[in-house]
C-alpha cells in the first residue's frame, strides 16, 4: 500500500468511525473496541463528550483504556454494569451475507467477545477491504490459548486442520494477550461452516476463545472513498 493508499484507507475508516459514534446517545454505556478503526471511533466519541454528551465506556483492552482516559472518555466496568447499550468495534474480516466476523489480529479477541456478548447492539466499523464472501479468506483465524501445555494444544489444533502458528514465537517470546494468554493464528482457508468450526475449536482443551464472532454484529458501517455503506443483520 502506498502512503496515498494508506491515507485513503484511514479516511474511509474515519468516515465509518464517525458515523458509528454518531449513533451513541446520552446516558449510554458504550463498549470500546480495539484496533486502529476502533481508536478513531473513540476519538470521535471524545469529541462528542467534549460537546456535552454523557456516556461511560467499557474498554476491550488496556491499550484502548489508556487512549480513552487520555482523551477524556469516562470509563466504567462490568462491576457497575452487566449490560452494554452499544459497542463499537473493528474487525479483521466481515462476511457479507451473514455479518459474521473474524477478530483478534489486534490481540484483544477475548475481552472483545465478552463485551460484544453483553451488548444490546454491536456496530462494526471497517473499510471495504475487510469485506469477504467467506470468513478465513484473507486473514488467519486467531485462537486464544492457555500458555500451560500450549505445545499440546497447538498439536490438537493442527490435527483439527486449523494450521496454527504461535503468534510472536519467531521473534523470541510469544505474544501475550491482556489476559496473559497466547494466540494461535490459524490458517483455516475459506470457512464453509463457521458454527461447526467454532464448536470444534471450543472442544479442544486449552482453547480459551476463538476470533469467530457469529451472530454478534447488528450493524456493519463500511467506510468508502466517498461516504459510508451500512449493512444490517
Ligand atoms: C482486535 O483484537 C481486533 O479484533 C480488531 O478489531 C481488528 O484487528 C481491527 O483492527 P484495525 O481497525 O486496526 O484493522
Amino acid at each position: 500500500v502506498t502512503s496515498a493508499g494508506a491515507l485513503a484507507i484511514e479516511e474511509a475508516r474515519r468516515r465509518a468511525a464517525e458515523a458509528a459514534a454518531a449513533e451513541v446517545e446520552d446516558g449510554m454505556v458504550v463498549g470500546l473496541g480495539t484496533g486502529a478503526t476502533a481508536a478513531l471511533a473513540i476519538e470521535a466519541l471524545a469529541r462528542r463528550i467534549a460537546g456535552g454528551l454523557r456516556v461511560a465506556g467499557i474498554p476491550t483492552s488496556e491499550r484502548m483504556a489508556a487512549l480513552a482516559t487520555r482523551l477524556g472518555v469516562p470509563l466504567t466496568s462490568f462491576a457497575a454494569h452487566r449490560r452494554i447499550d452499544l459497542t463499537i468495534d473493528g474487525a479483521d474480516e466481515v462476511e457479507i451475507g451473514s455479518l459474521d466476523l473474524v477478530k483478534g489480529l489486534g490481540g484483544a479477541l477475548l475481552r472483545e467477545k465478552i463485551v460484544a456478548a453483553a451488548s444490546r447492539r454491536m456496530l462494526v466499523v471497517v473499510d471495504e477491504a475487510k469485506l469477504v464472501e467467506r470468513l478465513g479468506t484473507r486473514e488467519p483465524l486467531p485462537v486464544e490459548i492457555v500458555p500451560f501445555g500450549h505445545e499440546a494444544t497447538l498439536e490438537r489444533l493442527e490435527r483439527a486442520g486449523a494450521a496454527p502458528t504461535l503468534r510472536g514465537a519467531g521473534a523470541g517470546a510469544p505474544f501475550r494477550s491482556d489476559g496473559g494468554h497466547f494466540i494461535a493464528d490459524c490458517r483455516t482457508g475459506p470457512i464453509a461452516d463457521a458454527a461447526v468450526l467454532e464448536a470444534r475449536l471450543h472442544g479442544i482443551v486449552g482453547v480459551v476463545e476463538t476470533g469467530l464472532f457469529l451472530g454478534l454484529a447488528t450493524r456493519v458501517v463500511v467506510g468508502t472513498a466517498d461516504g459510508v455503506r451500512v449493512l444490517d443483520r
Side-chain angles (χ1 to χ4, degrees):
V1 190
T2 63
S3 61
L7 202 65
I9 290 171
E10 160 129 5
E11 278 313 306
R13 290 177 174 185
R14 191 183 302 279
R15 284 186 195 97
E18 269 165 19
E23 294 200 34
V24 176
E25 292 166 20
D26 209 48
M28 278 185 168
V29 175
V30 182
L32 307 175
T34 293
T37 320
L40 294 171
I42 294 174
E43 285 176 19
L45 191 60
R47 282 193 291 277
R48 291 197 58 203
I49 289 167
L53 181 79
R54 287 161 309 161
V55 295
I58 297 189
T60 53
S61 61
E62 300 298 332
R63 192 152 53 91
M64 293 299 130
L67 176 69
T69 300
R70 188 153 53 75
L71 296 176
V73 176
L75 297 183
T76 185
S77 72
F78 279 101
H81 300 278
R82 306 290 180 275
R83 294 290 285 165
I84 294 169
D85 296 299
L86 179 73
T87 285
I88 304 176
D89 202 348
D92 302 308
E93 287 186 338
V94 174
E95 189 169 82
I96 293 165
S98 61
L99 301 193
D100 287 342
L101 316 171
V102 163
K103 287 179 55 54
L105 287 195
L109 68 95
L110 177 57
R111 293 188 187 185
E112 288 172 337
K113 207 156 171 177
I114 292 170
V115 164
S119 300
R120 292 190 177 86
R121 295 174 65 210
M122 180 193 194
L123 300 189
V124 178
V125 285
V126 292
D127 61 86
E128 285 175 298
K130 304 276 186 69
L131 300 178
V132 295
E133 293 292 334
R134 274 249 192 266
L135 295 180
T137 307
R138 273 170 40 100
E139 304 288 357
L141 172 66
V143 176
E144 187 149 345
I145 62 174
V146 175
F148 180 86
H150 69 272
E151 298 88 344
T153 308
L154 288 170
E155 252 181 45
R156 285 176 194 266
L157 285 168
E158 188 79 56
R159 267 185 271 132
T165 306
L166 188 62
R167 188 179 298 183
F175 169 87
R176 276 190 191 255
S177 69
D178 282 344
H181 305 125
F182 291 164
I183 292 188
D185 290 309
C186 297
R187 285 273 164 206
T188 56
I191 299 168
D193 192 330
V196 166
L197 180 61
E198 175 76 340
R200 187 178 305 150
L201 294 174
H202 272 286
I204 296 176
V205 64
V207 167
V208 179
E209 193 47 84
T210 85
L212 287 170
F213 282 53
L214 310 181
L216 290 171
T218 43
R219 168 170 287 187
V220 178
V221 185
V222 187
T224 68
D226 50 9
V228 297
R229 195 144 61 89
V230 173
L231 309 175
D232 277 321
R233 190 156 54 83

